[in-house]
Amino acid sequence: MPDTATPASTISAERDLRPTADASLWARLLRVFAWLSLATETIIIGTGGAVRLTGSGLGCSEWPLCTPESLVPIFANDGIHGFIEFGNRLMTGVVGIIALAVVLLILHLTGGRPSVFRALRYAAGGIVVAALVYGGIALASAIFSPPFLGAPGYAFPVATGIVLLAVIAAAIHTSRLTSSRRDLVVLAWVVFAGVVAQALVGGITVLTGLNPLIVGFHYTSSLLLVCVTAAFLVRVYSAPGPRERAVPVWFTILSHVTGLALAVTILFGVLTTGSGPHSGDQDVLRHGFDATVLAHVHSWPGYILAGLVVVLTIAAWVLRLEPRKWLLVLVLAIVVQVGVGVWQAREGLPPLLVGIHMVLASLSAATYTVVVLHLKHPVSAE
């Protein structure tokens, strides 16, 4: 029989949510939505890449509306670019709904209905305040000349910012009151707050005419959300309670050095793409770096990263360390990523290969996150 609402005081301090024969319906639903969250966070990187690589970044010239007259694109006026851009916006809604479902499920499992209702009250309050502010700015823009804050379109970023503040407040409040699986509660809130923040950044990206630095930040933030959803999945399938180091100290240090190499590789990859031909729109100016030089600079930490991962993998299998299987997955991801990178450079950066390279970067980062989380394991009962 599925779990019913449970008062927070009757819930054990650390609830084990791993798959078992008697796992509750809510725990099974949580794992399903956690996988969906990882999948959609990865897919939206692909759809965002499609917007940029097809030159559809300004297919919808306004935000949140697609055009000054319409919420949705009109094919006769906006063409296929409008539908590609609007499709990515719809994907943001899907990602947000799934992230919200994960938050509500983990709150129900750890704090019962009171915790869920507490979060919903924050959400309702944030939405009401945001709607009032939006209406006030839009009304002032219609009355005053020049328009207040420039145009009614700027009211939506302000309203989204208010909703984001309400989400952060709800996250802090519910996390402080949670005694069971606080790690999962915090990770779930980080993903949901990140999705709301990404909607805000996406709107600013359009309003600034696809500023390459903001576009790069938008991609990097999406990549980090993929890593957080991967971390959530690892912890869902792990035993609760304190954890202890499962590898030698030198292996931990080398693993973190590898993470630094990965971060530098991704950073220069973002700068390289931001200097290349795929700006999202033919009229967008780039930030002035030499893409040819950056492509070579981007490859240097990439090769260092590949070497470090190989060393870690060999050491892990020789010493029979816990993260060895995931390191094999990371080796495969890095090898494919290097191959695609060399291929796209030789072929003149075809959009399809660039898009694959972007998605693979997020999957490589997520796999590295899983490896790091396996550097420790739960403390045994003994």
Side-chain angles (χ1 to χ4, degrees):
M1 179 177 178
D3 285 353
T4 55
T6 307
S9 60
T10 65
I11 298 176
S12 62
E14 289 292 334
R15 184 164 188 167
D16 195 340
L17 299 177
R18 290 177 294 174
T20 57
D22 59 345
S24 70
L25 172 63
W26 299 111
R28 292 195 295 269
L29 279 176
L30 175 65
R31 292 192 295 273
V32 169
F33 276 93
W35 278 106
L36 288 175
S37 184
L38 175 63
T40 52
E41 289 287 359
T42 305
I43 290 171
I44 201 170
I45 287 181
T47 60
V51 170
R52 182 170 187 169
L53 298 169
T54 59
S56 304
L58 296 177
C60 286
S61 60
E62 304 296 325
W63 187 77
L65 301 177
C66 183
T67 67
E69 298 81 20
S70 174
L71 173 65
V72 300
I74 301 173
F75 188 80
N77 298 328
D78 306 310
I80 190 64
H81 295 306
F83 282 87
I84 293 175
E85 162 66 9
F86 191 73
N88 186 59
R89 295 186 183 187
L90 289 179
M91 191 63 199
T92 301
V94 174
V95 172
I97 291 171
I98 293 174
L100 176 60
V102 172
V103 168
L104 295 179
L105 284 168
I106 190 61
L107 288 178
H108 177 77
L109 283 164
T110 58
R113 289 182 181 177
S115 186
V116 174
F117 289 151
R118 197 176 296 120
L120 292 177
R121 284 197 296 270
Y122 272 98
I127 291 173
V128 169
V129 174
L132 291 174
V133 171
Y134 179 88
I137 295 177
L139 179 62
S141 299
I143 295 175
F144 295 103
S145 182
F148 183 62
L149 286 181
Y154 286 91
F156 200 81
V158 175
T160 306
I162 293 173
V163 173
L164 177 59
L165 291 175
V167 170
I168 294 173
I172 294 173
H173 186 58
T174 56
S175 298
R176 291 179 62 183
L177 295 179
T178 298
S179 60
S180 172
R181 299 313 303 265
R182 183 174 294 176
D183 56 336
L184 294 178
V185 174
V186 171
L187 288 172
W189 275 118
V190 168
V191 174
F192 183 59
V195 173
V196 177
Q198 281 290 74
L200 176 60
V201 174
I204 294 173
T205 301
V206 174
L207 294 175
T208 58
L210 305 185
N211 182 290
L213 294 177
I214 298 179
V215 172
F217 176 78
H218 198 36
Y219 168 76
T220 305
S221 302
S222 297
L223 183 146
L224 291 175
L225 287 178
V226 173
C227 294
V228 178
T229 54
F232 185 91
L233 270 170
V234 172
R235 297 311 299 265
V236 162
Y237 283 87
S238 299
R243 301 168 67 81
E244 61 184 1
R245 185 163 47 82
V247 299
V249 174
W250 66 264
F251 191 92
T252 300
I253 295 174
L254 189 58
S255 298
H256 292 311
V257 171
T258 302
L260 177 61
L262 176 62
V264 173
T265 303
I266 292 173
L267 172 62
F268 279 106
V270 171
L271 291 175
T272 303
T273 304
S275 304
H278 304 298
S279 61
D281 188 86
Q282 61 182 357
D283 296 325
V284 172
L285 298 176
R286 315 309 291 149
H287 48 44
F289 296 117
D290 189 326
T292 304
V293 174
L294 277 178
H296 290 289
V297 176
H298 168 52
S299 67
W300 300 337
Y303 292 133
I304 294 173
L305 169 65
L308 289 171
V309 171
V310 169
V311 171
L312 285 172
T313 304
I314 294 174
W317 279 93
V318 170
L319 300 175
R320 307 291 294 173
L321 300 179
E322 189 166 331
R324 61 187 183 276
K325 293 181 180 179
W326 281 105
L327 278 166
L328 279 180
V329 177
L330 183 58
V331 166
L332 178 61
I334 296 296
V335 168
V336 174
Q337 182 75 323
V338 170
V340 172
V342 172
W343 187 11
Q344 70 172 5
R346 291 182 175 179
E347 295 297 324
L349 301 180
L352 179 60
L353 291 180
V354 175
I356 293 174
H357 199 55
M358 293 170 60
V359 174
L360 284 175
S362 68
L363 294 177
S364 298
T367 306
Y368 171 77
T369 302
V370 176
V371 169
V372 170
L373 290 176
H374 280 84
L375 297 178
K376 291 185 177 181
H377 56 201
V379 178
S380 62
E382 295 177 356

